[in-house]
Amino acid sequence: MIDILAWDWNLRVAIGNHAVTRPKARSLGLDYGRDFTIHGRVRAPREHRGKSIKVTLSPFGPKVRFGRGALQNVGKLTILPEGSVFEFEAVLMLPEAAIASTASSLASTWKHLQIKIHDVRPSGAEASAYFFQASIHPNLEAWANAD
């Protein structure tokens, strides 16, 4: 579980590779996109409490598929090397259709982000799901606030 400290809705512009850039994101040879960047602090599990994390919500279009024969995860969590600005970094996929409601909810309601991980290894883990919350659910209070 992560406490959301700050967020931004960035515009990313780069020289595009039209072979891999989706058509809606192309303009005059440029690849552009709008990613959400969240700066947070780990609340739980307890052994990582207080560590900093940068989370990028990267929008994807309707052609992306999940499940059997397609993507198996919604993102990944990486442990960053010592001396980095953040101790963890996560990149999570966000449906394009959820961009407006995500911006509105981050600005008004959401205070916590919970990432469900699996396939944990020394460099990080895969993310199978994530959830935003305005408050900590009573069933998770002891876990999120354990000393």
Side-chain angles (χ1 to χ4, degrees):
M1 178 175 285
I2 298 161
D3 293 329
I4 298 172
L5 303 177
W7 68 277
D8 199 358
W9 191 18
N10 304 305
L11 174 63
R12 173 186 40 79
V13 180
I15 301 300
N17 176 350
H18 288 286
V20 296
T21 303
R22 48 194 174 94
K24 280 186 170 181
R26 293 183 206 148
S27 175
L28 303 172
L30 294 176
D31 172 14
Y32 64 92
R34 303 271 331 244
D35 295 337
F36 288 94
T37 302
I38 297 170
H39 295 181
R41 183 179 315 112
V42 176
R43 175 182 284 268
R46 183 180 64 222
E47 60 268 18
H48 296 297
R49 178 170 290 145
K51 293 182 179 179
S52 61
I53 184 168
K54 175 184 171 186
V55 179
T56 300
L57 299 177
S58 185
F60 66 90
K63 291 185 179 181
V64 176
R65 297 286 177 241
F66 295 89
R68 185 172 285 191
L71 295 174
Q72 300 295 309
N73 299 300
V74 296
K76 66 180 182 176
L77 175 72
T78 304
I79 300 170
L80 298 175
E82 241 180 82
S84 298
V85 174
F86 296 95
E87 292 161 278
F88 296 102
E89 181 176 31
V91 177
L92 303 172
M93 299 178 73
L94 177 74
E96 283 180 342
I99 290 174
S101 62
T102 297
S104 175
S105 296
L106 279 168
S108 63
T109 312
W110 292 341
K111 304 295 181 222
H112 308 283
L113 168 61
Q114 189 173 342
I115 303 173
K116 184 177 178 183
I117 60 170
H118 67 95
D119 194 20
V120 178
R121 46 194 187 283
S123 61
E126 301 296 326
S128 59
Y130 63 93
F131 318 90
F132 286 97
Q133 302 160 313
S135 60
I136 300 171
H137 190 279
N139 290 347
L140 298 176
E141 285 277 344
W143 174 70
N145 296 318
D147 287 328

